[in-house]
Amino acid sequence: MKDVILAIDEGTTGVTSVLIDRNLNILAKINNEFLQHYPRPGWVEHKPEEIWDCTLKTIEVAIQQAGINPDRIAGIGITNQRETTVLWERASGRPLCNAIVWQDRRTAPTCEKLRRKGLLPKIRNKTGLVLDPYFSATKIQWILENQGDLKKRIPGICFGTIDSYLVFRLTGGKVHVTDVSNASRTLLMNLKSLQWDPELLKIFSVPAEILPTIVSSSEVYGQTSGLRVLPDGIPVCGMAGDQQAALFGQACFRPGEAKCTYGTGSFLMMNTGRKIVRSRSGMLTTVAWKLKEEVTYAIEGSAFIAGAAVQWLRDGLKIIQRSSEVETLAKQVSDSGGVTFVPAFVGLGAPYWNSEARGLIGGMTRGTTTAHIARALLEGIAFLQYDILQAMQKDLGKRLKVLKVDGGACLNDLLMQFQSDILGIELSRPEMIETTALGAAFLAGLAISFWKDTAEIAAQWKENHRFRPKMPKKEIIIHIQRWHAAVKRA
């Protein structure tokens, strides 16, 4: 009996494996964190083997926790941190260096050099993206130029974002693919053709031989092979970048529907259907997913830091022991006491795209406490989404009425209520907040007819709570003015 889907959610700080049945019952959910490596200021790296080991461990423990025979797994879906770049040896699967994480800023000079050459309009038109170290292309270029003699070994090298790396390992090195949603985040895929663009490869000095084949988000890519934790022959059949998977998991199937995911960063994404919306306000145009031959596009605003700032309170300042304690601490005061926190630890993303910006805490007095700082931090996370939504609404020429929210921080009622107040719209929190993993499961299930269609999926989505704006307009204006003044100083 094949009645379970395995969803692998490979995030920036850890891997989560989820076993889920047709009725969306979670049979097991196991998370395992891996180390973040910061070799220099502004550099962020992961060890691919640590990610792979965490993946195997979470799968093994999830199966044990659920108490099921792994033969019941009908298919595997993958969702992942998107732009993070891995190069590995084709013959062995051995990583050739540390992965360069999407947050890494080391290629900012390269991006600036390309801007000065006047290449930004061409790149933006082809990819829907901006020239920023965030994306994969300049990371690939940096690795090839700075990691020994890799250029001489090109035929034997594979590049991939983490989805591609995991599929390669799960299938015993037989399959080297990436889906359109992840490919659209590399600065190398043409949004219209959905193929690697030869002109872009030349601009970024990326050899075509190392690239994976671009496939849809829901199809059988290959089968498991040679794994100690899973039997051979399980279809690997669903794949999407984390934010696109969350949009799918939130059942945002119609144009105009949007979600915001609060994870390591925070990401607001809106379904634009078959239409490629070109932003004039610093938003990104991206592929949401491809089902069979039908492509769905989206517009997105990305804030690099959200939950990572809470982790900094925990691990850096050590004013909380667990991330969940930030809400309790922030509730000790009725407001931030005039303190403003701009969480620009690795620059500012949309709509600013300022890689030189850095974190700032302003407005402190002798009466400022850790509670004020905690509250200001949560407010800063919400303000970043305010700027993104304003820019997005400007591009679309209409206002959003309801925003679906997910990710760990959406359980923070204080943050969600402030977010609703500042945005001036209702926030809808689902019963199942692990929508990123859920989206991966849905995509895998559709490929093997585990679920019939998106209508069946949408019928199972359920709301847990709705937040409605309460803050007086005058108070909102004061907050926004103070925020924008702080951003200028960051």
Side-chain angles (χ1 to χ4, degrees), residues 25-82:
N25 296 309
I26 295 179
L27 308 181
K29 183 179 77 172
I30 299 297
N31 174 265
N32 196 354
E33 290 190 356
F34 49 79
L35 292 175
Q36 312 293 300
H37 301 274
Y38 307 98
R40 297 184 189 179
W43 292 28
V44 190
E45 297 180 353
H46 292 155
K47 290 186 179 297
E49 282 292 348
E50 289 182 1
I51 292 175
W52 177 238
D53 289 344
C54 279
T55 301
L56 293 178
K57 184 176 180 179
T58 58
I59 292 171
E60 184 175 34
V61 177
I63 291 170
Q64 292 172 354
Q65 185 184 81
I68 67 167
N69 187 319
D71 288 329
R72 288 174 58 185
I73 298 174
I76 300 173
I78 297 170
T79 182
N80 57 288
Q81 49 170 319
R82 294 174 295 180

Side-chain angles (χ1 to χ4, degrees), residues 162-176:
I162 300 292
D163 60 308
S164 185
Y165 177 67
L166 291 181
V167 172
F168 190 90
R169 299 297 296 265
L170 286 167
T171 60
K174 296 181 178 68
V175 180
H176 184 207

